[in-house]
Amino acid sequence: MKLSVNVNKIALLRNSRGHDAPNVLAFSQQIVSYGAHGITIHPRADRRHITPDDARAVTRHITTVETNFEGDLREEFLDLTLELRPTQCTLVPVTPGELTSHRGWDVVKWRFLLQPVVKRLKEEGIRTSLFVEADPAVVPVVAEMGADRIEIYTGPYAQAFDRGDHRAELDKIVATVRAAAAAGVGINAGHDLTVENLAPLVSEAPQIQEVSIGHHLVARALEVGMKQSVLDYLAAVEGRRAPSLAP
């Protein structure tokens, strides 16, 4: 399981003051130097965090690890993706005004829009992933569309974990992971994942290839520092305890 760090929250903090501190590219480079396997960005239409210029800087200067663009089917986002050719493009449904992503694609309903985009991205050599709910029934449709991977929306699982009753949501994820593995579809996961709730996923769904984590990793960095936070999450995806940097 690989860790791709979403740096949107760093851009959000920068934008709150209208200048270039903290610098998104500099932090992305630091995060890579600490061992992260990739950098994820989600340029939104309102530019409240990542901007097109951030996307250009990241893809031009982060070259030793994978880059992952998340976004919807807006022409601006797709044009930017085709211009910059990240390693992976994760197509995510977006509701105008939403605080954060909160659902996966209804792949049956929106197949007529998704399939041509998947085809175009793949023709350009960009790995494609579709953000979906934890439901084994989505896997055959995704496979038929030709997407390389799914990203399982783990928000409901994270919420259930906080309540202490996550078994049912974890079972949905495990079933979806097994269905995808059997169909030859790659598997990513993301949303509200933490050092604590990663452990059951690592144990019971080891076929997950990549997790994308931003908010909670940056929040943890406020307490322990960015390097320690990245090391903690790297240890979590590998099922071990991170070394402490404390003196």
Side-chain angles (χ1 to χ4, degrees), residues 24-176:
V24 172
L25 176 60
F27 263 93
S28 298
Q29 291 171 322
Q30 288 178 31
I31 287 165
V32 170
S33 76
Y34 301 149
H37 306 111
I39 296 293
T40 290
I41 59 174
H42 186 160
R44 287 180 175 267
D46 60 10
R47 288 168 165 72
R48 66 177 182 257
H49 39 60
I50 291 294
T51 68
D53 284 343
D54 292 326
R56 292 184 177 96
V58 166
T59 51
R60 289 170 182 168
H61 295 280
I62 301 294
T63 58
T64 59
V65 299
E66 294 189 349
T67 49
N68 174 41
F69 281 16
E70 297 178 342
D72 56 357
L73 301 180
R74 286 179 298 115
E75 185 176 351
E76 179 189 37
F77 171 72
L78 295 175
D79 286 347
L80 187 68
T81 301
L82 292 170
E83 172 195 342
L84 299 176
R85 301 170 63 87
T87 314
Q88 177 175 266
C89 177
T90 302
L91 297 174
V92 181
V94 171
T95 301
E98 68 182 10
L99 184 63
T100 184
S101 300
H102 62 280
R103 60 186 171 89
W105 287 105
D106 181 337
V107 291
V108 173
K109 179 179 180 179
W110 298 109
R111 178 173 179 168
F112 75 101
L113 289 178
L114 289 166
Q115 190 159 358
V117 175
V118 168
K119 182 175 183 293
R120 177 70 191 281
L121 292 170
K122 291 188 66 173
E123 287 173 347
E124 295 296 325
I126 301 169
R127 188 171 71 224
T128 60
S129 178
L130 298 181
F131 195 66
V132 299
E133 309 282 342
D135 179 358
V138 307
V139 172
V141 184
V142 171
E144 289 172 5
M145 280 197 281
D148 300 294
R149 295 189 183 184
I150 55 172
E151 179 174 336
I152 299 173
Y153 170 47
T154 51
Y157 162 73
Q159 294 165 17
F161 188 92
D162 290 343
R163 297 192 304 267
D165 62 350
H166 62 278
R167 185 70 253 175
E169 292 296 336
L170 180 59
D171 286 344
K172 291 179 187 177
I173 292 174
V174 170
T176 307

